[in-house]
Short mmCIF file of all heavy atoms in Angstrom, two decimals:
data_model
loop_
_atom_site.label_atom_id
_atom_site.label_comp_id
_atom_site.label_asym_id
_atom_site.label_seq_id
_atom_site.Cartn_x
_atom_site.Cartn_y
_atom_site.Cartn_z
N ASP A 247 -53.05 -27.64 -107.96
CA ASP A 247 -54.33 -27.31 -108.59
C ASP A 247 -54.21 -27.07 -110.09
O ASP A 247 -55.22 -26.87 -110.76
CB ASP A 247 -54.93 -26.06 -107.94
CG ASP A 247 -55.27 -26.30 -106.47
OD1 ASP A 247 -55.31 -27.46 -106.05
OD2 ASP A 247 -55.50 -25.30 -105.76
N LYS A 248 -52.98 -27.09 -110.60
CA LYS A 248 -52.75 -26.86 -112.05
C LYS A 248 -53.33 -25.53 -112.51
O LYS A 248 -53.88 -25.42 -113.61
CB LYS A 248 -53.35 -28.02 -112.86
CG LYS A 248 -52.87 -29.40 -112.46
CD LYS A 248 -51.39 -29.58 -112.77
CE LYS A 248 -50.93 -31.02 -112.60
NZ LYS A 248 -51.05 -31.53 -111.25
N LEU A 249 -53.23 -24.49 -111.68
CA LEU A 249 -53.73 -23.19 -112.06
C LEU A 249 -52.89 -22.58 -113.18
O LEU A 249 -53.40 -21.87 -114.04
CB LEU A 249 -53.74 -22.25 -110.83
CG LEU A 249 -54.29 -20.84 -111.05
CD1 LEU A 249 -55.74 -20.91 -111.50
CD2 LEU A 249 -54.18 -20.02 -109.77
N THR A 1015 -54.43 -38.69 -115.55
CA THR A 1015 -54.69 -37.26 -115.49
C THR A 1015 -54.36 -36.55 -116.81
O THR A 1015 -55.07 -35.65 -117.21
CB THR A 1015 -53.84 -36.63 -114.35
OG1 THR A 1015 -54.10 -37.35 -113.14
CG2 THR A 1015 -54.20 -35.17 -114.15
N TYR A 1016 -53.29 -36.98 -117.47
CA TYR A 1016 -52.87 -36.38 -118.72
C TYR A 1016 -52.79 -37.46 -119.80
O TYR A 1016 -52.09 -38.45 -119.64
CB TYR A 1016 -51.49 -35.71 -118.58
CG TYR A 1016 -51.47 -34.62 -117.51
CD1 TYR A 1016 -51.11 -34.92 -116.20
CD2 TYR A 1016 -51.80 -33.32 -117.82
CE1 TYR A 1016 -51.10 -33.93 -115.22
CE2 TYR A 1016 -51.79 -32.33 -116.86
CZ TYR A 1016 -51.44 -32.63 -115.57
OH TYR A 1016 -51.43 -31.67 -114.60
N LEU A 1040 -59.30 -37.62 -115.43
CA LEU A 1040 -58.62 -37.02 -116.56
C LEU A 1040 -58.79 -35.50 -116.55
O LEU A 1040 -59.90 -34.99 -116.49
CB LEU A 1040 -59.16 -37.59 -117.87
CG LEU A 1040 -58.35 -37.29 -119.13
CD1 LEU A 1040 -56.97 -37.94 -119.04
CD2 LEU A 1040 -59.08 -37.75 -120.38
N LYS A 1041 -57.65 -34.77 -116.63
CA LYS A 1041 -57.68 -33.31 -116.63
C LYS A 1041 -57.21 -32.72 -117.96
O LYS A 1041 -57.62 -31.63 -118.32
CB LYS A 1041 -56.79 -32.77 -115.50
CG LYS A 1041 -57.32 -33.00 -114.10
CD LYS A 1041 -56.43 -32.31 -113.08
CE LYS A 1041 -56.99 -32.47 -111.67
NZ LYS A 1041 -56.15 -31.77 -110.65
N TRP A 1042 -56.36 -33.44 -118.66
CA TRP A 1042 -55.75 -32.91 -119.89
C TRP A 1042 -55.89 -33.97 -120.98
O TRP A 1042 -55.50 -35.12 -120.78
CB TRP A 1042 -54.28 -32.58 -119.62
CG TRP A 1042 -53.48 -32.16 -120.83
CD1 TRP A 1042 -53.19 -32.90 -121.92
CD2 TRP A 1042 -52.86 -30.88 -121.04
NE1 TRP A 1042 -52.43 -32.18 -122.78
CE2 TRP A 1042 -52.20 -30.95 -122.28
CE3 TRP A 1042 -52.81 -29.72 -120.31
CZ2 TRP A 1042 -51.50 -29.85 -122.79
CZ3 TRP A 1042 -52.07 -28.65 -120.80
CH2 TRP A 1042 -51.42 -28.73 -122.06
N LEU A 1043 -56.44 -33.56 -122.11
CA LEU A 1043 -56.58 -34.46 -123.24
C LEU A 1043 -56.06 -33.74 -124.49
O LEU A 1043 -56.52 -32.66 -124.82
CB LEU A 1043 -58.05 -34.86 -123.43
CG LEU A 1043 -58.37 -35.69 -124.68
CD1 LEU A 1043 -57.61 -37.03 -124.65
CD2 LEU A 1043 -59.85 -35.92 -124.82
N PHE A 1071 -66.03 -37.60 -117.59
CA PHE A 1071 -65.03 -36.54 -117.64
C PHE A 1071 -65.34 -35.42 -116.64
O PHE A 1071 -65.39 -34.24 -117.00
CB PHE A 1071 -64.93 -35.97 -119.07
CG PHE A 1071 -64.60 -37.02 -120.08
CD1 PHE A 1071 -65.52 -37.42 -121.03
CD2 PHE A 1071 -63.36 -37.62 -120.08
CE1 PHE A 1071 -65.22 -38.38 -121.96
CE2 PHE A 1071 -63.03 -38.59 -121.02
CZ PHE A 1071 -63.97 -38.97 -121.96
N LEU A 1072 -65.52 -35.78 -115.40
CA LEU A 1072 -65.89 -34.81 -114.37
C LEU A 1072 -64.79 -33.79 -114.14
O LEU A 1072 -65.07 -32.66 -113.74
CB LEU A 1072 -66.21 -35.54 -113.08
CG LEU A 1072 -67.55 -36.28 -113.02
CD1 LEU A 1072 -67.69 -36.98 -111.68
CD2 LEU A 1072 -68.71 -35.32 -113.24
N LYS A 1073 -63.51 -34.18 -114.32
CA LYS A 1073 -62.41 -33.30 -113.99
C LYS A 1073 -61.64 -32.80 -115.21
O LYS A 1073 -60.63 -32.12 -115.05
CB LYS A 1073 -61.45 -33.99 -113.03
CG LYS A 1073 -62.08 -34.31 -111.67
CD LYS A 1073 -61.05 -34.86 -110.70
CE LYS A 1073 -61.67 -35.11 -109.32
NZ LYS A 1073 -60.70 -35.61 -108.34
N LEU A 1074 -62.10 -33.11 -116.38
CA LEU A 1074 -61.39 -32.70 -117.60
C LEU A 1074 -61.42 -31.17 -117.71
O LEU A 1074 -62.47 -30.55 -117.76
CB LEU A 1074 -62.02 -33.33 -118.84
CG LEU A 1074 -61.25 -33.17 -120.14
CD1 LEU A 1074 -59.86 -33.76 -120.03
CD2 LEU A 1074 -62.02 -33.79 -121.31
N GLU A 1075 -60.21 -30.56 -117.76
CA GLU A 1075 -60.09 -29.11 -117.76
C GLU A 1075 -59.59 -28.57 -119.09
O GLU A 1075 -59.90 -27.43 -119.43
CB GLU A 1075 -59.12 -28.67 -116.66
CG GLU A 1075 -59.60 -29.02 -115.25
CD GLU A 1075 -58.58 -28.66 -114.19
OE1 GLU A 1075 -57.51 -28.13 -114.57
OE2 GLU A 1075 -58.85 -28.87 -113.00
N LYS A 1076 -58.86 -29.37 -119.85
CA LYS A 1076 -58.28 -28.84 -121.10
C LYS A 1076 -58.31 -29.90 -122.18
O LYS A 1076 -57.94 -31.05 -121.96
CB LYS A 1076 -56.85 -28.38 -120.84
CG LYS A 1076 -56.23 -27.64 -122.03
CD LYS A 1076 -54.95 -26.95 -121.63
CE LYS A 1076 -54.39 -26.10 -122.75
NZ LYS A 1076 -53.21 -25.33 -122.33
N ILE A 1077 -58.76 -29.50 -123.37
CA ILE A 1077 -58.78 -30.36 -124.56
C ILE A 1077 -58.05 -29.65 -125.67
O ILE A 1077 -58.34 -28.47 -125.96
CB ILE A 1077 -60.20 -30.72 -124.99
CG1 ILE A 1077 -60.97 -31.47 -123.89
CG2 ILE A 1077 -60.18 -31.57 -126.26
CD1 ILE A 1077 -62.40 -31.79 -124.25
N GLU A 1100 -66.12 -29.36 -115.86
CA GLU A 1100 -64.96 -28.59 -115.41
C GLU A 1100 -64.10 -28.14 -116.57
O GLU A 1100 -63.00 -27.61 -116.37
CB GLU A 1100 -64.10 -29.44 -114.46
CG GLU A 1100 -64.77 -29.76 -113.14
CD GLU A 1100 -65.07 -28.50 -112.34
OE1 GLU A 1100 -64.21 -27.60 -112.32
OE2 GLU A 1100 -66.17 -28.40 -111.78
N LEU A 1101 -64.56 -28.34 -117.83
CA LEU A 1101 -63.76 -27.96 -118.98
C LEU A 1101 -63.57 -26.46 -119.02
O LEU A 1101 -64.53 -25.69 -119.05
CB LEU A 1101 -64.44 -28.44 -120.27
CG LEU A 1101 -63.65 -28.21 -121.56
CD1 LEU A 1101 -62.35 -28.99 -121.54
CD2 LEU A 1101 -64.49 -28.58 -122.78
N LYS A 1102 -62.30 -26.04 -119.02
CA LYS A 1102 -61.97 -24.62 -118.99
C LYS A 1102 -61.30 -24.14 -120.27
O LYS A 1102 -61.40 -22.96 -120.62
CB LYS A 1102 -61.08 -24.30 -117.79
CG LYS A 1102 -61.79 -24.41 -116.44
CD LYS A 1102 -60.84 -24.09 -115.29
CE LYS A 1102 -61.60 -24.00 -113.97
NZ LYS A 1102 -62.31 -25.24 -113.63
N THR A 1103 -60.60 -25.03 -120.97
CA THR A 1103 -59.85 -24.63 -122.16
C THR A 1103 -60.10 -25.63 -123.29
O THR A 1103 -60.01 -26.84 -123.08
CB THR A 1103 -58.34 -24.57 -121.87
OG1 THR A 1103 -58.11 -23.66 -120.79
CG2 THR A 1103 -57.58 -24.10 -123.09
N LEU A 1104 -60.43 -25.10 -124.47
CA LEU A 1104 -60.62 -25.94 -125.65
C LEU A 1104 -59.88 -25.30 -126.80
O LEU A 1104 -60.08 -24.13 -127.12
CB LEU A 1104 -62.11 -26.08 -125.98
CG LEU A 1104 -62.44 -26.83 -127.30
CD1 LEU A 1104 -61.94 -28.27 -127.23
CD2 LEU A 1104 -63.93 -26.77 -127.60
N ASN A 1126 -68.60 -23.85 -117.91
CA ASN A 1126 -67.37 -23.42 -117.22
C ASN A 1126 -66.21 -23.18 -118.16
O ASN A 1126 -65.10 -22.87 -117.71
CB ASN A 1126 -66.97 -24.46 -116.17
CG ASN A 1126 -67.89 -24.45 -114.97
OD1 ASN A 1126 -68.25 -23.38 -114.47
ND2 ASN A 1126 -68.29 -25.61 -114.50
N LEU A 1127 -66.44 -23.30 -119.47
CA LEU A 1127 -65.39 -23.04 -120.44
C LEU A 1127 -64.95 -21.60 -120.34
O LEU A 1127 -65.77 -20.67 -120.39
CB LEU A 1127 -65.87 -23.35 -121.85
CG LEU A 1127 -64.82 -23.26 -122.95
CD1 LEU A 1127 -63.82 -24.39 -122.81
CD2 LEU A 1127 -65.48 -23.29 -124.34
N GLU A 1128 -63.62 -21.36 -120.25
CA GLU A 1128 -63.08 -20.02 -120.09
C GLU A 1128 -62.31 -19.57 -121.32
O GLU A 1128 -62.31 -18.39 -121.64
CB GLU A 1128 -62.17 -19.94 -118.87
CG GLU A 1128 -62.90 -20.19 -117.56
CD GLU A 1128 -61.98 -20.11 -116.36
OE1 GLU A 1128 -60.76 -19.92 -116.56
OE2 GLU A 1128 -62.45 -20.27 -115.21
N THR A 1129 -61.65 -20.48 -122.00
CA THR A 1129 -60.81 -20.13 -123.15
C THR A 1129 -61.15 -21.02 -124.32
O THR A 1129 -61.14 -22.26 -124.22
CB THR A 1129 -59.32 -20.30 -122.80
OG1 THR A 1129 -59.00 -19.49 -121.66
CG2 THR A 1129 -58.44 -19.85 -123.97
#
Side-chain angles (χ1 to χ4, degrees):
D247 296 344
K248 305 294 189 297
L249 182 60
T1015 306
Y1016 301 92
L1040 192 65
K1041 290 185 177 181
W1042 174 296
L1043 174 61
F1071 303 111
L1072 286 178
K1073 295 187 178 181
L1074 189 59
E1075 297 176 0
K1076 188 167 186 176
I1077 299 177
E1100 294 298 319
L1101 185 63
K1102 290 180 172 58
T1103 302
L1104 175 62
N1126 287 317
L1127 186 70
E1128 296 179 358
T1129 302

